[in-house]
Amino acid sequence: MSLPEHTAGLSVRKPVWGAVAALGVFVVFLLSATDIFPWAAGLDHDVHAWILANRTPGWISAAAVVTSTASSTFTAPLVFLVAAALTPGVISARLTRAVLVLLTMLLAVLLRFGISELLARSRPAMVDWAVYAGGFSFPSGHTSDAALAAGLIAWLVVRRFDRAPRWLVWPLAASYALLIAWTRVYLGVHWPTDVLGSLAFVTAWLSGALVFQRLDERVATSSYLA
């Protein structure tokens, strides 16, 4: 009897540890964004001041174009379409997978928004902004949207294509998330710890989602072999 596709590598140990470690890092940055333990406030202001003193009109224009691709109004539909396109099988299977992947993203977006509203961290002074930004500062919405979309699309690609070069797919996804994080700081609308906290938040979220997905596959495999 042949096993179902993608039943190998169902260990949850690595994603569990990844989620725990990333969550710990996120909490550290979250504390820094409060008045309780602002341990990185000096670093935030120093990096912000250095960028303001060294940014150029050309790089500002380039950063503004790149950062515009990271809003969830663009990335969420993209994730849905990619999930539907890369899921094998009939249309119902494609739509089911696409909805589940989209929900994984949107729940994270809502949680990040709730944290942001609860924490209510102020952004850098508006006079320093090179583009308009709405809402509070921590964690960065554009950074988390970009990281969520990149991570989910990378997962869909390597899951769909067994021979996909993972050594290339995952670094490309990480590079896009880091690029968006850089643009948010460079454009003066976020503190460095805002984007670092967002990257840690998304890493924890996606690692946790991977744990549940692998546990679900493990149960499905056990039932198949029973």
Side-chain angles (χ1 to χ4, degrees), residues 87-147:
T87 299
V90 298
I91 189 65
S92 59
R94 292 172 179 267
L95 291 178
T96 299
R97 166 70 67 80
V99 168
L100 289 174
V101 173
L102 181 62
L103 283 175
T104 301
M105 179 176 184
L106 293 183
L107 287 174
V109 170
L110 289 174
L111 178 58
R112 183 216 60 84
F113 178 77
I115 294 172
S116 179
E117 291 291 311
L118 183 63
L119 196 61
R121 187 188 198 188
S122 298
R123 293 180 182 270
M126 188 177 292
V127 68
D128 298 336
W129 298 4
V131 295
Y132 175 76
F136 294 110
S137 197
F138 182 95
S140 166
H142 277 70
T143 302
S144 62
D145 289 350

Side-chain angles (χ1 to χ4, degrees), residues 206-222:
L206 293 182
S207 296
L210 184 58
V211 170
F212 282 103
Q213 180 260 325
R214 288 188 176 179
L215 288 174
D216 180 66
E217 283 195 352
R218 182 180 291 179
V219 171
T221 301
S222 298

Side-chain angles (χ1 to χ4, degrees), residues 11 34 47 67 85 110 112 116 139 177 179 189-190 200:
S11 172
T34 69
V47 172
T67 208
L110 289 174
R112 183 216 60 84
S116 179
L179 180 61
V189 294
H190 278 290

Side-chain angles (χ1 to χ4, degrees), residues 53-64:
N54 290 276
R55 66 186 184 182
T56 63
W59 280 108
I60 287 175
S61 297

Side-chain angles (χ1 to χ4, degrees), residues 14-220:
K14 287 184 179 180
V16 165
W17 281 112
V20 171
L23 182 60
V25 172
F26 173 71
V27 170
V28 169
F29 284 121
L30 185 148
L31 290 175
S32 178
T34 69
D35 294 329
I36 300 173
F37 186 48
W39 62 272
L43 174 65
D44 276 336
H45 285 85
D46 288 346
V47 172
H48 181 72
W50 184 88
I51 288 175
L52 292 181
N54 290 276
R55 66 186 184 182
T56 63
W59 280 108
I60 287 175
S61 297
V65 171
V66 172
T67 208
S68 66
T69 67
S71 171
S72 58
T73 57
F74 171 75
T75 56
L78 177 63
V79 166
F80 180 85
L81 291 174
V82 171
L86 294 184
T87 299
V90 298
I91 189 65
S92 59
R94 292 172 179 267
L95 291 178
T96 299
R97 166 70 67 80
V99 168
L100 289 174
V101 173
L102 181 62
L103 283 175
T104 301
M105 179 176 184
L106 293 183
L107 287 174
V109 170
L110 289 174
L111 178 58
R112 183 216 60 84
F113 178 77
I115 294 172
S116 179
E117 291 291 311
L118 183 63
L119 196 61
R121 187 188 198 188
S122 298
R123 293 180 182 270
M126 188 177 292
V127 68
D128 298 336
W129 298 4
V131 295
Y132 175 76
F136 294 110
S137 197
F138 182 95
S140 166
H142 277 70
T143 302
S144 62
D145 289 350
L148 284 164
L152 288 170
I153 290 174
W155 176 79
L156 288 164
V157 169
V158 299
R159 188 169 172 80
R160 179 65 178 88
F161 304 106
D162 292 335
R163 295 186 179 181
R166 299 181 182 221
W167 57 268
L168 178 61
V169 174
W170 289 113
L172 282 176
S175 295
Y176 174 68
L178 290 170
L179 180 61
I180 296 300
W182 170 79
T183 66
R184 304 310 289 170
V185 177
Y186 191 80
L187 294 170
V189 294
H190 278 290
W191 306 108
T193 50
D194 295 337
V195 300
L196 293 174
S198 275
L199 293 173
F201 167 78
V202 172
T203 301
W205 182 268
L206 293 182
S207 296
L210 184 58
V211 170
F212 282 103
Q213 180 260 325
R214 288 188 176 179
L215 288 174
D216 180 66
E217 283 195 352
R218 182 180 291 179
V219 171

